[in-house]
Amino acid sequence: MEADFWHRRWKKNEIGFHEGQANALLVKHLDALKLTKGCRLFLPLCGKTRDIAWLLEQGFQVVGAELSEIAVQDLFKDLAITPNISTQGKLQQYSAENICIYVGDIFDLSSAVLGHVDAVYDRAALVALPATMREQYTQHVMQLTEHA
């Protein structure tokens, strides 16, 4: 993963991939997972997606991982939430009620730090990675989430 590429994109606000509302396919199909309110969903490489606000409104807990601190700061600003910020190894943790976002390289995130998750929602993280990293990413996410 070319971290500098993504840091530049966020710094220059070149985020055409960012949707201004919850993803229509998420809204349409989430019920198929039969999740109950309070379930914990993991969003890898989450950016500042509006999907997070929608999931919180549905009563879910959200945990995410994001390389760009700018994206995470924007996310909490958009949510009008002041996060608690702490350090977890190489990662920064931004958290508040029902939301926790880890800032840094997703490969530095461990299952012990992440904790239990009930489902994974990856809208576009897999395709954002170079093809040569996709298998490594997939294996890492499966290990992190105990195949959620």
Side-chain angles (χ1 to χ4, degrees):
M1 180 167 55
E2 302 227 3
D4 290 341
F5 170 81
W6 290 108
H7 287 302
R8 282 192 307 272
R9 294 281 303 260
W10 281 100
K11 188 174 184 178
K12 293 180 179 181
N13 200 34
E14 294 174 349
I15 53 171
F17 51 83
H18 176 69
E19 296 180 341
Q21 59 191 21
N23 182 274
L25 295 173
L26 170 66
V27 172
K28 181 177 180 179
H29 297 289
L30 184 64
D31 286 345
L33 295 179
K34 307 286 188 223
L35 298 170
T36 58
K37 289 184 186 226
C39 282
R40 196 162 186 250
L41 282 73
F42 178 51
L43 283 67
L45 311 186
C46 61
K48 63 177 187 175
T49 180
R50 296 297 303 156
D51 299 337
I52 292 173
W54 185 82
L55 289 166
L56 291 170
E57 289 168 4
Q58 305 312 303
F60 295 108
Q61 295 179 45
V62 175
V63 60
E66 172 54 45
L67 182 64
S68 171
E69 191 164 22
I70 292 169
V72 176
Q73 290 170 346
D74 285 354
L75 168 66
F76 278 89
K77 183 178 177 184
D78 291 349
L79 293 172
I81 297 173
T82 301
N84 297 310
I85 304 170
S86 60
T87 301
Q88 294 286 337
K90 294 181 178 180
L91 305 171
Q92 293 294 310
Q93 178 185 24
Y94 281 61
S95 60
E97 186 176 358
N98 294 323
I99 184 170
C100 179
I101 309 293
Y102 294 97
V103 180
D105 188 330
I106 192 170
F107 294 105
D108 290 330
L109 182 60
S110 69
S111 59
V113 170
L114 179 64
H116 173 78
V117 297
D118 298 294
V120 177
Y121 172 58
D122 178 341
R123 184 185 71 81
L126 181 65
V127 297
L129 293 171
T132 57
M133 291 188 70
R134 292 177 185 169
E135 185 174 340
Q136 177 189 10
Y137 163 80
T138 303
Q139 293 299 318
H140 185 64
V141 170
M142 289 190 320
Q143 180 273 325
L144 278 176
T145 63
E146 298 177 0
H147 300 266

